[in-house]
Amino acid sequence: MSGRFITFEGPDGSGKSTHLALAAEWLGGRGVEVLATREPGGTPLGQLVRRAFLDSPWGRPDGGVEALLVFAARRQHLAEVIDPALAAGRWVLCDRFTDSTLAYQGSGRGESLARLAELDRWATGSRRPDLTLLFDLPATAARERSHSAGRLSRARGINRLDVEDLEFYERVRACYLRLAAAEKERFRVIDSTGSRAATAGRVREALAGLLEAVA
């Protein structure tokens, strides 16, 4: 079976990380060799960037600095982890990729989308996943979930993104939906307003279509 690159996108609190783990387990049970990874992260360099990105001891970087950091980590992530796994026939499930940068640093922080696209061409060759699952829910619900006691406990407290205001969450969501509308073949929008079981069922349905395509 050939490798496939699948990204899980959505605002903080949308459930994407939880459902990535569930999807990895589900695919593994069907004989698919899976690698689960995340951004920023996935490599030693990526972990350093993640620390600077989410809880910087050096102050709050602006959107341009955030973008430069995350694209540097992304280039290393592709070279060190993602591309070798795909070449070996594994399915790579990645928690965030370039769509997150467009949504957060672009629409959220107000950085130029044209400039971010230029950085993406340099860092990734404008790489696009085979499938992107976008976990969607209203901005108010996403922000409430990101501040839930359970999530804060798992994350060991509040990071910089958790304290963003509702308008920031709304800009991020609107950008994600625009991206999905522009690339309907790549995106599957997953309604994550319901129960975990209902959302997991929608994820499995989307993945089953990809399994059939490569069978």
Side-chain angles (χ1 to χ4, degrees):
M1 183 180 291
S2 58
R4 287 293 182 269
F5 182 28
I6 305 167
T7 54
F8 287 61
E9 292 283 359
D12 290 279
S14 63
K16 61 177 177 51
S17 301
T18 295
H19 288 288
L20 187 153
L22 293 173
E25 182 179 357
W26 184 79
L27 286 168
R30 279 148 186 78
V32 178
E33 190 175 357
V34 176
L35 171 68
T37 187
R38 68 179 183 178
E39 291 201 348
T43 67
L45 173 64
Q47 286 300 111
L48 288 174
V49 169
R50 187 177 188 86
R51 180 186 171 210
F53 194 82
L54 295 179
D55 187 22
S56 174
W58 307 286
R60 176 172 179 163
D62 67 14
V65 173
E66 288 182 352
L68 290 167
L69 285 170
V70 78
F71 272 121
R74 183 166 296 139
R75 185 177 177 89
Q76 184 68 20
H77 196 196
L78 282 167
E80 187 176 335
V81 175
I82 295 173
D83 284 342
L86 293 173
R90 303 175 76 181
W91 285 35
V92 177
L93 308 187
C94 189
D95 189 337
R96 299 199 181 284
F97 198 64
T98 299
D99 296 308
S100 281
T101 310
L102 299 176
Y104 277 83
Q105 283 68 54
S107 290
R109 301 279 189 236
E111 294 298 318
S112 164
L113 293 178
R115 184 171 296 172
L116 294 178
E118 184 177 352
L119 285 172
D120 183 41
R121 284 192 295 274
W122 173 78
T124 79
S126 301
R127 182 71 165 273
R128 292 295 176 266
D130 298 297
L131 174 67
T132 296
L133 303 182
L134 171 58
F135 292 81
D136 180 56
L137 73 169
T140 50
R143 193 168 188 275
E144 287 173 4
R145 286 187 186 180
S146 71
H147 286 73
S148 70
R151 183 177 184 277
L152 294 180
S153 176
R154 291 190 299 273
R156 298 182 182 179
I158 293 176
N159 63 50
R160 290 193 307 110
L161 295 179
D162 290 325
V163 299
E164 295 293 347
D165 59 24
L166 181 60
E167 288 73 20
F168 180 88
Y169 275 77
E170 288 174 339
R171 292 194 301 273
V172 167
R173 184 195 186 199
C175 182
Y176 270 131
L177 292 175
R178 288 194 299 270
L179 292 170
E183 292 189 63
K184 293 180 180 178
E185 292 300 313
R186 172 165 69 94
F187 277 87
R188 297 292 183 274
V189 179
I190 306 293
D191 180 357
S192 61
T193 58
S195 68
R196 178 181 296 188
T199 303
R202 297 184 183 102
V203 172
R204 290 194 297 268
E205 182 179 355
L207 294 174
L210 193 57
L211 277 172
E212 291 172 2
V214 299

